[in-house]
Each structure stands twice: as C-alpha cells, then as structure tokens.
Amino acid sequence: MPTHVDPLDRRVGAKGAEQKKFAALGIETVADLLAHYPWRYADSREVTDIASLAVGANVSLVARVRSAEIRLAMKTGKPRVEAKITDGTRTLDLVIFMPHRGAAEFHLKRLLPGSLGLFSGQINIFNGRLQLANPGYAIFGLDVDEEVALEEAEWPIPIYPATAGLESEKIRRAVRAALDPLTEQDVPDPVPDLVRAERHLASRWSALRGVHVPQTEDDWRKGQARLRYEEAFVLQAELARRRAHAQREESTARPARAGGLLDAFDARLPFTLTEGQVAAGEQIADDLARAHPMQRLLQGEVGSGKTVVALRAMLQVVDAGGQAALLAPTSVLAAQHVRTLRALLGDLAEGGLLGGSEIGTRVALLTGAQSAAERRANLLEAASGQAGIVVGTHALLSDPVQFADLGLVVIDEQHKFGVEQRGRLQAKAANAPHLLVTTATPIPRTVAMTVFGELEISELRHVPAGRSGITTHVVAADNRVWMDRTWARVREEVEKGGRAFVVCARIDEDAEGTRDADDGVDLVADEPTTVSEAQAAAQRAPKKPLRAVLEVAETLRQDPRLGGVAVGLLHGRMSSEEKDRAIADFASGVTPVLVSTTVIEVGVDVPAATVMVILDAQVFGLSQLHQLRGRVGRGSAPGLCLLVADAPEGTVAAQRLGALAATTDGFELARVDLELRREGDVLGSAQSGRRGTLRFLRIVSDGAVIDRARDDARALVEADPELTAWPALRAAIATQLADGREEFLGQS
C-alpha cells in the first residue's frame, strides 16, 4: 500500500540525477513532494505575456504553437526541432535537440500549429532573440486519453517552483503519480478531527487534492485556505506547548517592597514615565509577584524608554532579595548599559561603597575582554550577591559565572541569542527565573503572535517628552551638489555642539561585509524583473564597491568641507577598550564625527548626537536603518538622518528608503518591511523554499486565522500538554521547525 512517507524512487520513479534534482528542492519523500505546492495557476484558456519573461528565469507558460520544423546541424547532421510559440502578440523561439531524426519527428507530430500547450524551461537569449531550449511541455488534448484530456484541459494548471532540468511539468507529473494512489487514510492530518469539525475544515488529503489537482479555481482556493490554517495551527500548538511547560515550572515570587530601591529610584526620576511605560511596568510587576516564571516580551519604538522599564523590573527583584542578569549581544552595548544604569541609579548603584546609598546595590559588568583582575572582582560581586544587577555578553553564560540568587533574566535584542544560550543562563538559578525579553525592532501584532506566542507582550509606542524628533532625507550618491550639502550639514551640526555618525557597510576595502564579533549588515539587492531590465543591468558598468570605515574616515579627515573637524573610528575588530574610548571621545566632543559600522545600531546613547549619514544606504534592511536612525535626536535638539544611496526609482531599495523618509513610526515601518520581504523570511531566510516554510500563511494579513489557530491550539494543549494523543501533530511540529526553525522561534 502506498504511504505518505515513501521515498521518491519507490513512488514516482525518480532515480539518479533526477532524484538529485528533486533533493535540491528539499524533496526526498512523497510527503516532501506533496508539500511542494504550486506557486500559481495558469488558465489553459489564456496565454502568457511573453514580453514579461525574464532572461535566466525558470518559467512555465501557456502559449500556442505557431510553427515547427526539423533542421539539421551543419557539422554533425544531428536534428533539432525549431518551433515558435506565441501569446498572440509576440513570439518565443523553442529549440529541442535530438540524437536522431525519429525522435525529432515525434516532437514535430506533437507541436502542431494552433495547438495550445504548457511549456517549461529556462529563458535565454540566442542571436539576440529570447529562446526556450529543450523545454518540458504538455500539449493539451494529446498527452492522455482523449475524453480525459478534453476534461482536464479546462482545469487550472498548477505551476510549480522549478529548476533547470526539473521543469514544472515534470514536477506536476510526479505529484500526480504520488497523489493519485493515496487515500485519506494514507495522509496523516495534524489538525485533529474535533478541530476540523468545529472549524468546518476539509481533511489534509482533500486539501492536497485541491491544490495539486484542482478542477476549478474554487478548489485550489479552498485547499490553500485549509493549509493556511494548518500552518498557523502547527506553529501555535508548539508555542502553546512551550507556554504550558513554562507555566508548570515553579519560580520564586518577587513582589514589590515599599521603601526599597524601586521607590527610591522612582522618587528621583527627573522625568515623568509615559503611559506605556507605566502600563508595561504594572504588567511586569504583577508577573514578578507570581510563583510561576514570567515570560514577557517588551517591544518598543526606538527611544521609547525600554531601559527604564527593564531597570524598574530589575530593582523590584533586587528589593525582593534576588538578582537580575542583563544579557546584551555586544560588548559595546553591555558597557553602554552599565554606564546608563549607573547614571540612572546614582548612589543607588554604589551599595557598600563610600558615599553610596544605605539601601543601594551594585551594577557589575562581565565581558570576555576584561582583564583577569577586573573579571575576578565582578565574578565575586555576582556570586556574593553584592551586585544586584549583572550585565554581560556571552561571557555571562560561562561556567565560572555564579549568582547568589538569580531571579530575573533580561535579554536585550533576543534575536541575537539562541535557545541553548538562554537556557544556560536560566540554569544558573535555583528555581526557574523570570524572563523579560526586549527588542527595539517593533513587530506587527500578527508577527508577534506567531513567533512570540509563548510570551505575553507589552508595547511601548510613544517616546518620552522632550525629544524633538528626527527628519530623514534620501541623498542621491551621484549628485555632487547634494553630497556637498550633506557634509556641510555635518559641519554645521558640529559647530552648534552636535555630534555626527557616519555609517559604512564595510570595515575596510578588502572586507566583503562587517560580519565580525560585534556588528553586521545583511546586504540586500534588487534583481531585474523583465527582459529589458535584465539587458540594461548587464550593460551597466560594474557597481562601485561599498564605502568602508577606514577609507571614509581617512577621506573625511582631509576633506576641506569639514575644515579639520576631528574624526573618530568604531568597528567590531577593535578591542573593548578601544571601542569604549571611541564612544567616550565622541560623546565628549574630542572626535565629534564618528565613522562606524553597524556596531552602533542598538543601545548606543549619546544625547548630543544630532546627525547621521548612512553611506550605501540601499544595501541595508529597513529595520536596521530605523535602528541606526534612532541613535540621533535623543536629546533636546532635533535629529537629522541623511540616507546616501544609489537606488534607482522603482526598485525595492528605493521603496525601503522612501518608507523610512516618510515616517518614524517603527510599527508602521515593520509592517512595510514585512510586505517588501518574502514571507519565508518570517521564519528565517535560510528556510525559504524548503519544506516546512510558511507557504500560505501571510503574517501581515492573516491575523484572524492566527487568532483562531491560537485559541484552538491552546485548548488542545490544556487538555493534553504533551500532545500524546496527536502523533500527526507532533510530527508536523518537528517538520515545521526543522532546519533551524526551532532555534529561530527561541531567538525571536
């Protein structure tokens, strides 16, 4: 009996080289093949617009045969079939190379003028004309029994993601060979019967028939809707299971205490907390007072005051006799946090020291770059409990680090850390510690529900009073006048007492990017989408190399437009001491211009910084640009962000930069960012196109589906926390979170 997990060679005859081609698409079993869904559907009654085809693209198109003939190679005499297909306006050349005339005549008999067919292959150019060489094809009405063919010719035609040598038509035939023998009992369904009945959902087998062998448009739309719900349900079931597991753990309650550090801190705050800070603080305080570990995400706008909210939570834990650990992704950010916390606390951070508060505690720093003596001293403060707050990088995770009573773990920029790393820090507590995850990258609610489903969510949407805002402009890199004005504005801000960041995508001319210990940029690029764009791209001169920190710093030091203004350097290859010195010199005005990589992206707080110039801004992602921009305008003076870019109008890069210039609302930018990116990126770009990737669930627009799936999943997990009665669901979870997705959910 055929089964859902049979290997391909047994069910569809894929062997050798063809099997390798399937494997390159992540297809090794029948289950993998059936999860390789069509990316669109063609109407056999309509033809494809040939003018829209891109050189180098693997395409599947519906067109009509105009002519076909056999020609012989002049040197070898081997035959080839040359044909022309048309969309009614333009033609596309087809060529099929054959070893002997008999094989060529076989194709000639099928490619009858006037026939309508589905043609698949890679578009190239030969002698200045578009060509499809050795395509896979199916002529409607000639491949199968005439009565069946006439019926199926009216059905929508599934078009599959394909590769060279493995066209959509081959994949379609393989899918039919695998799917047709299967019955409903052969296809495990991760959505339990009771949920399907409650939501009026078809079985998975029916959904697969709908998307792979639709007889009408309604069939594939219903199939996609069922699979869309399934994708949401499987993810929410795993998140609900994690949530239930956390709620079963015991933690030490850390209720607020009157007259302690928190009250003293609140009394000396020089500003009024925003409504969002107050609301988030109350939610966190209630969580900390419970005997089950808090699991909360604090996400907020750039500059919205997440540090103060997190600090108040840490002080509540210290008041209750515990300690808090703040895990930061870089040594620069960890050191910045320590300076900020000590400045906010004043003598409250000098417990036991001369001049320190009687009720004070200490803030210790642990990084891998500290001297042995400094590290020993801070390790002792953490282990003895003298330091109620311990800030560090990955060094906090090492075995020598011990705590007297770890009660709260705060993870800053959670996406920089993995599940195992988080677990190693939590394991240093006697009981499960409370967990507060913070992120400065705002996330749309539906995304948060999907990737943070096991966490309660608090949002900070407003910045504290007294900040003047940021103005953003896009500057064309090849416009000499605009560039002169850019550097003139930098000098003007410096002369007024401001500071200027200049951000580059590389450290030096030899580096491909800035992926070192502390900084990194995800380079993005636009690809041509039409033949004319592809040809234009091929004719353009090679792109200029990305500007590099060392080169730009040296150039600016000699640039008369800056008139001798001191220029500093900051990048991830510098030692911790060098980084600290660079930031301190920048903040004090010794070097009022700082040329840096994206090491400054998060957490660096210099209130006097008023202008930021981002060179090669077109290669940065939207969220990263927003984070960088958030480093200026943090004081009373308004901020200015200048995006120097080579981004032709109409490209995705131009859309990103235009969106950034149009708004400073991080939540709106997050929505735009998600719309501009592929949906697979929500679960990690490495998974795009692989089995288990979200194919139908649209995180931005499918909030109602996610809501229903979350309710159903939580109800199921409440009744059966380990899902022991639902082996198909457990297997689907393992598949959905394969290839690093489980790590991603823990990191997000």
Side-chain angles (χ1 to χ4, degrees), residues 32 141 187 192 254 322 369 418 503 583 595 612-613 638 733:
D32 298 337
V187 182
R254 310 286 181 175
V503 176
I583 292 175
V595 183
M612 171 167 289
V613 179
I733 289 172

Side-chain angles (χ1 to χ4, degrees), residues 317-632:
V317 170
V318 175
D319 280 339
Q323 293 170 284
L326 171 56
L327 184 60
T330 71
S331 59
V332 169
L333 185 51
Q336 175 71 52
H337 277 314
V338 169
R339 285 192 294 268
T340 300
L341 296 180
R342 287 174 178 168
L344 288 169
L345 290 171
D347 64 341
L348 296 177
E350 299 174 350
L353 300 176
L354 184 63
S357 169
E358 292 183 0
I359 62 171
T361 186
R362 294 186 194 173
V363 179
L365 173 65
L366 284 169
T367 68
Q370 291 175 313
S371 67
E374 186 179 11
R375 182 173 175 80
R376 278 196 301 270
N378 287 322
L379 284 171
L380 181 59
E381 287 191 352
S384 67
Q386 284 181 304
I389 299 173
V390 182
V391 182
T393 58
H394 294 75
L396 279 181
L397 309 175
S398 62
D399 291 336
V401 179
Q402 297 181 357
F403 295 87
D405 184 8
L406 181 59
L408 170 65
V409 172
V410 180
I411 299 185
D412 192 25
E413 292 305 305
Q414 167 74 346
H415 64 280
K416 303 286 188 180
F417 299 99
V419 177
E420 180 183 353
Q421 293 167 320
R422 186 174 77 184
R424 282 163 59 190
L425 183 54
Q426 289 175 298
K428 294 180 181 292
N431 293 323
H434 299 283
L435 175 67
L436 179 63
V437 173
T438 71
T439 177
T441 304
I443 306 164
R445 178 175 175 271
T446 51
V447 178
M449 286 194 305
T450 300
V451 297
F452 290 110
E454 81 273 35
L455 305 181
E456 297 294 338
I457 301 171
S458 296
E459 292 182 351
L460 300 178
R461 287 184 170 265
H462 304 288
V463 298
R467 295 189 177 177
S468 301
I470 306 172
T471 302
T472 304
H473 297 289
V474 180
V475 178
D478 58 357
N479 189 308
R480 178 75 176 270
V481 175
W482 288 11
M483 289 305 302
D484 285 345
R485 182 57 185 153
T486 293
W487 300 120
R489 286 291 286 118
V490 169
R491 181 171 180 174
E492 289 168 10
E493 289 298 316
V494 169
E495 289 175 345
K496 289 190 296 184
R499 309 285 184 270
F501 289 107
V502 179
V503 176
C504 304
R506 298 190 303 162
I507 296 175
D508 55 45
E509 294 181 358
D510 295 329
E512 291 297 324
T514 59
R515 288 195 175 279
D516 49 37
D518 273 349
D519 51 15
V521 54
D522 292 326
L523 303 184
V524 294
D526 298 313
E527 295 183 358
T529 56
T530 68
V531 173
S532 59
E533 286 178 345
Q535 291 170 335
Q539 294 169 359
R540 282 200 299 262
K543 293 183 178 180
K544 295 179 181 178
L546 300 179
R547 303 293 296 277
V549 168
L550 301 183
E551 165 213 346
V552 169
E554 187 59 32
T555 300
L556 292 181
R557 286 167 181 156
Q558 301 174 23
D559 195 322
R561 292 171 295 186
L562 292 185
V565 171
V567 177
L569 280 174
L570 181 64
H571 56 75
R573 293 183 194 163
M574 297 164 64
S575 68
S576 295
E577 292 79 6
E578 289 172 329
K579 293 173 188 172
D580 291 343
R581 190 181 311 115
I583 292 175
D585 288 347
F586 178 63
S588 67
V590 172
T591 52
V593 174
L594 184 65
V595 183
S596 174
T597 58
T598 55
V599 68
I600 63 160
E601 177 184 351
V602 177
V604 174
D605 188 6
V606 179
T610 55
V611 61
M612 171 167 289
V613 179
I614 303 178
L615 301 177
D616 299 308
Q618 75 277 359
V619 306
F620 294 85
L622 187 52
S623 63
Q624 192 167 40
L625 288 170
H626 183 54
Q627 291 301 317
L628 290 167
R629 176 173 63 176
R631 297 310 101 204
V632 300

Side-chain angles (χ1 to χ4, degrees), residues 9 45 232 240 350 583 609 686 694:
D9 59 351
R45 296 164 298 182
E350 299 174 350
I583 292 175
L694 299 184

